[in-house]
């Protein structure tokens, strides 16, 4: 319930003085005995004059009119519902229709005393479908806490089976409101066979083999045989028969990577009679088969620990093959073209030969000559101040946009040992972007420690100092891994090795892999003959799913819209072909992308009511198994959470009110008209 009233900030004495003055003005004018109108009319016109003068005097006092609003807030009871798929996967547990019926009934029971609101994993909903692919209960409760901050929350009711497969457990958190929990599902492990996890490479190279490791768990089927199959496009491509034993067991396959492109493989295990759910008997994986590894050439005048540190990172992945050439130690490579070249002790004057690449990384050192650098690159110049050296650390540039580094790891830079760089003034020109700045002590300078250059035809990077092997060693020693160093090396080389695209027609999905439910966008770029963006082109796009069903789209691109929005698609691998015409010439682009079905909800079907009890205990609530959930509504009503009254105030000058001005004009106008009409003027 809301109620409101107005008040003035002017002393009542001044209001009374204004009223007496206005009355005096009216008496002076209308107290004469002889008048050509009746006594009652004389009193009415005196009232008009008094009212107008009073309002004018009141405006001269310039009072602030204050609106006071009292708002009564009924306590909120928020029902935070876990609407994930796992709720309905166990046939012997309460079915989803029972849960929805209880939620509706409880909400109606609470409406007489509280304001019930239903929140789900995906947001506030009136209709609940148990179809969410993941469960993050901590995020759900944190969102409730944030959205309803400063509101009168009486209690939150968490309705869940307690099974979490994303985020942290809410059992270790406290919230600013009581949390009551309702336990769904069954805490007794079901009789079931489940694929717990599948490990596989995301990328495989054509002609190679790639491993798949499947982790299985089961209960109630000890000693029975089980067929495990790998299926592609409805065809079995590999199979094994195993004997089930207690606990987890692993099944391994080694498959051939044949034709390039994204492959969708289904891991399926045989269904056994009596299983609580068959949803977890299969799982999809996606393998991107590419034509070959990127070849990275490393050039150096002499051995150095930096070289080994870089090669160890690149060789640990299946994406790169490194070739090291140190004259006098290694044979000169027969190949001329490489995907990227890393030159250590760059600009030292050594002539390695006519190797070619569109991406180069120059790492300077004690043998490097700044004058030689000026003859090789134009975007970075160093004006030396003597022969001095600076010892610097790296400072991460959070505005760097060419690729993303995991920012939660960037604090590790502060523990890296410093490296030596030339002392002087650094100047950048042209299309450059700095990833790491030089930090001296606690001062971050504008000098680059790792800078990138990209003019559309050539890409390169410069590190003006050697000794980065120490970074890897220090990080591995202090953090027990060298994740930041590895990510820095891999993404630098990945960026430099990506081919410069000179196509005049480019169509690509924003991601090669989408999760089911995500909107799919296809971005297009069209260029004229001098590679300027051109718009107004009619672009046709056809999307073909795994069943051969084709959907066609058409768009005329513009500066504000050059993307296709395909909406949410079903899980699977999709092929696309886009066409357009430029200057009478036809252009086309083809490719593929995958929609991944997140299959986490069927892995674990054993409800965790102990976690729900812990959440309730930590947050002044109670735990109810679903069989006793009807008692929850009665207990909440008996709690008698109190309504609160909040007062809001809004002030504004009375002189700003047009209605007061109009009222004064109306009063004086009416008085003037009557006096004129009755012959007083």
């Amino acid at each position: 319930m809301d109620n409101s009233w107005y008040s003035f900030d002017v002393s009542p004495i001044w209001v009374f003085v204004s009223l007496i003055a206005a009355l005096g003005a009216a008496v002076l004018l209308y107290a004469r005995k002889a008048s050509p109108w009746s006594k009652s009319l004389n009193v009415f016109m005196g009232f008009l004059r008094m009212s107008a003068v009073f309002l004018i005097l009141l405006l001269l006092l310039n009072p602030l009119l204050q609106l006071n609003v009292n708002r009564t807030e009924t306590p909120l009871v928020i029902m935070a519902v876990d609407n994930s798929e796992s709720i309905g996967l166990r046939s012997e547990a309460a079915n989803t229709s029972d849960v929805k019926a209880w939620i509706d009934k409880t909400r109606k029971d609470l409406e007489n005393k509280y304001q019930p609101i239903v929140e789900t994993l995906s947001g506030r909903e009136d209709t609940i479908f148990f179809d969410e692919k993941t469960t993050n209960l901590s995020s759900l409760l944190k969102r409730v806490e944030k959205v309803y901050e400063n509101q009168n929350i009486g209690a939150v009711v968490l309705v869940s089976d307690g099974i979490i497969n994303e985020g942290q457990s809410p059992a270790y958190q406290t919230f600013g409101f009581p949390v009551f929990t309702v336990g769904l599902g069954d805490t007794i492990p079901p009789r079931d066979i489940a694929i717990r996890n599948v490990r596989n490479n995301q990328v495989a190279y054509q002609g190679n083999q790639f491993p798949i490791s499947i982790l299985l768990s089961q209960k109630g089927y000890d000693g029975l045989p089980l067929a495990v199959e790998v299926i592609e496009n409805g065809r079995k491509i590999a199979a094994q028969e195993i004997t089930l034993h207690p606990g987890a067991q692993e099944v391994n396959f080694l498959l051939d990577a044949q034709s390039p492109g994204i492959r969708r493989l289904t891991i399926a295990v045989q269904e056994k009679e009596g299983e609580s759910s068959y949803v977890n008997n299969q799982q999809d994986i996606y393998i991107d088969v590419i034509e070959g590894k990127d070849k990275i050439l490393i050039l150096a005048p002499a051995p150095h620990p930096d070289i080994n540190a870089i090669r160890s990172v690149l060789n640990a992945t299946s994406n790169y093959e490194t070739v090291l050439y140190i004259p006098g130690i290694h044979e000169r490579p027969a190949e001329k073209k490489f995907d990227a070249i890393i030159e250590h002790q760059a600009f030292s004057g050594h002539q390695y030969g006519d190797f070619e690449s569109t991406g180069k990384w120059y790492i300077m050192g004690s043998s490097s000559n700044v004058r030689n650098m000026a003859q090789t690159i134009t975007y970075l110049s160093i004006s030396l101040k003597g022969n001095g050296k600076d010892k610097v650390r790296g400072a991460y540039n959070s505005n760097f946009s060419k690729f993303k580094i995991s920012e939660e790891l960037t604090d590790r830079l502060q523990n890296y040992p410093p490296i030596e760089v030339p002392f002087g003034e650094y100047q950048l020109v042209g299309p450059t972007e700095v990833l790491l700045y030089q930090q001296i002590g606690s001062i971050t300078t504008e000098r680059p420690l790792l800078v990138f250059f990209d003019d559309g035809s050539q890409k390169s990077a410069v590190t003006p100092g050697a000794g980065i092997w120490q970074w890897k060693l220090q990080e591995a020693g202090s953090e027990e891994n060298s994740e930041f160093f590895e990510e820095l090396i891999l993404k630098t080389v990945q960026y430099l090795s990506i081919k410069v695209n000179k196509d005049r027609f480019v169509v690509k999905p924003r991601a090669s892999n989408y999760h089911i439910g995500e909107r799919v966008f296809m971005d297009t770029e069209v260029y004229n003959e001098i590679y300027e963006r051109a718009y107004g082109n009619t672009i046709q796009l056809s999307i073909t799913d795994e069943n051969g069903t084709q959907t066609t789209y058409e768009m005329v691109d513009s500066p504000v819209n050059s993307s296709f929005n395909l909406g949410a698609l079903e899980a699977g691998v999709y092929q696309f072909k886009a066409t357009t015409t430029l200057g009478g010439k036809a252009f086309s682009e083809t490719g593929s992308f995958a929609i991944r079905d997140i299959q986490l909800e069927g892995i674990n079907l054993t409800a965790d009511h102990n976690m729900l009890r812990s959440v309730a205990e930590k947050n002044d609530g109670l735990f109810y198994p679903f069989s006793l959930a009807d008692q929850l509504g009665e207990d909440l009503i008996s709690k008698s959470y109190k309504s609160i009254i909040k007062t809001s105030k809004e002030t504004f000058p009375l002189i700003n009110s047009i209605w007061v001005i109009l009222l004064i004009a109306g009063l004086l106008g009416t008085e003037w008209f009557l006096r004129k009409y009755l012959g007083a003027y």
Side-chain angles (χ1 to χ4, degrees), residues 67 72 116 226 292 321 369 453 472 542 610 632 642 681:
L67 173 63
T72 302
L226 181 75
E321 176 186 341
N369 188 306
F453 168 84
K472 184 176 190 292
S542 64
N610 287 331
L632 172 63
K642 303 299 182 183
Y681 290 124

Side-chain angles (χ1 to χ4, degrees), residues 67-89:
L67 173 63
N68 302 272
V69 179
N70 275 353
R71 180 174 291 107
T72 302
E73 289 191 359
T74 303
L76 303 178
V77 173
I78 300 168
M79 304 184 73
V81 181
D82 172 3
N83 60 326
S84 60
E85 288 182 339
S86 66
I87 302 298
L89 289 181

